[in-house]
Amino acid sequence: MDRRELLDRAAHSPEERLLLSRVWDKCEQCRTRNIPTATGFLSPAEQAAAQGFLVLLGARESGIFWGGYDGAERRRLVFLPDWLETPDDQVAAVRAACRSGGDLTHRDFLGSLMALGLTREKIGDILVESGGCQVLVDPLSLDFLTQSWDSAGREKLTVTPLPLSALAVPHAAVKELRDTVSSLRLDNVLAAGFSLSRGRAAEAVEKGSVQVNYVTCVKPGKPVSAGDTITCRGLGKCVLDSVGAPTKKGRLPVDIRRYI
């Protein structure tokens, strides 16, 4: 199977085909030139597509997803030659402090970065904190940001490089849920995780609003299992942490972590 046929088989859209082509190019550049290479920052859904493609290529272990800290949501897919052990230098960080000491939102910071002409793939996670934010970026954008990013919203900013070791990662706000479900169907677990009726949950799945491990699923009866991440457009994300032994009535206890 040639390159074109393999990409046609793996991709579900023109955008995904372009992404997978870039992943393949970076993988080959690392292999043939013996240098580190990396994609841009990928969303969780793009990471899932890229990981599946590496499996198809027989290169499952060749890439490392790295976003600057453990638990990062937006990550680069980094390919390392044998002589390099860690991907740390493929991600940089800056701290943007509001000079007035005021607070801004994630949207404010992202909008101002995009207004500078940066594409989304150059920007990793934006960690909002009191009086500013920390931003993970492509190292090639570091100098540009420290010299050119001077405002967001109505706030003037002071932007300085930030070592990855100095990142202060906020704890995610979560709600721990315990419930029972009749089976591990997607619509059942979705309903428990977001306090929906099963009918509304099934409808959301059928409309293409739900992803399991960041892959869209349109089948309400799809089985899910412990460790799966379920996202629903407009509602957020939850993780099925554990599944207990059936009760006397045959229902399954579930522990779900919902991000709020």
Side-chain angles (χ1 to χ4, degrees):
M1 186 179 298
D2 63 20
R3 179 185 176 108
R4 180 175 180 177
E5 291 174 336
L6 190 56
L7 288 170
D8 287 342
R9 173 184 171 186
H12 296 91
S13 67
E15 294 78 13
E16 189 169 289
R17 192 182 194 282
L18 180 59
L19 166 67
L20 300 184
S21 180
R22 289 174 177 169
V23 168
W24 200 343
D25 287 342
K26 295 298 183 182
C27 184
E28 284 298 295
Q29 286 173 17
C30 179
R31 185 182 65 83
T32 59
R33 299 172 59 189
N34 200 34
I35 59 172
T37 61
T39 67
F41 286 96
L42 307 178
S43 68
E46 290 170 330
Q47 293 169 43
Q51 184 63 63
F53 187 59
L54 289 180
V55 172
L56 190 61
L57 289 178
R60 179 197 298 267
E61 305 299 329
S62 63
I64 300 171
F65 288 104
W66 177 237
Y69 65 96
D70 292 339
E73 181 171 274
R74 293 183 60 81
R75 300 183 295 177
R76 305 184 79 183
L77 177 52
V78 182
F79 298 95
L80 298 177
D82 292 339
W83 52 268
L84 191 61
E85 294 184 356
T86 65
D88 286 0
D89 62 356
Q90 298 299 315
V91 177
V94 298
R95 169 170 277 126
C98 298
R99 294 178 190 173
S100 73
D103 293 327
L104 293 174
T105 66
H106 185 283
R107 179 177 293 183
D108 292 325
F109 290 118
L110 178 58
S112 64
L113 288 167
M114 302 291 281
L116 291 174
L118 291 179
T119 58
R120 195 64 180 96
E121 67 178 10
K122 298 294 185 183
I123 308 166
D125 286 359
I126 299 174
L127 306 176
V128 178
E129 57 188 6
S130 178
C133 71
Q134 305 162 92
V135 186
L136 286 301
V137 298
D138 184 327
L140 296 178
S141 302
L142 187 60
D143 289 343
F144 173 72
L145 283 177
T146 55
Q147 295 169 16
S148 304
W149 191 24
D150 58 6
S151 65
R154 296 182 178 181
E155 294 282 347
K156 294 297 184 180
L157 301 177
T158 298
V159 179
T160 55
L162 180 67
L164 295 182
S165 60
L167 280 172
V169 181
H171 293 291
V174 298
K175 182 178 182 180
E176 303 289 346
L177 303 171
R178 289 188 174 182
D179 205 341
T180 61
V181 293
S182 59
S183 71
L184 293 178
R185 288 171 51 107
L186 173 57
D187 53 359
N188 285 337
V189 177
L190 180 67
F194 293 104
S195 301
L196 303 173
S197 68
R198 182 175 168 184
R200 283 191 61 195
E203 182 180 358
V205 176
E206 291 168 349
K207 286 183 176 179
S209 298
V210 178
Q211 295 181 329
V212 178
N213 297 326
Y214 305 105
V215 177
T216 299
C217 177
V218 295
K219 296 181 179 179
K222 174 182 172 63
V224 294
S225 56
D228 283 348
T229 298
I230 301 171
T231 56
C232 184
R233 191 180 307 128
L235 295 177
K237 177 175 72 173
C238 68
V239 177
L240 177 57
D241 278 332
S242 64
V243 181
T247 66
K248 292 181 179 179
K249 294 184 178 181
R251 295 181 65 83
L252 297 170
V254 292
D255 290 320
I256 297 174
R257 180 172 16 118
R258 179 180 175 182
Y259 290 79
I260 55 178

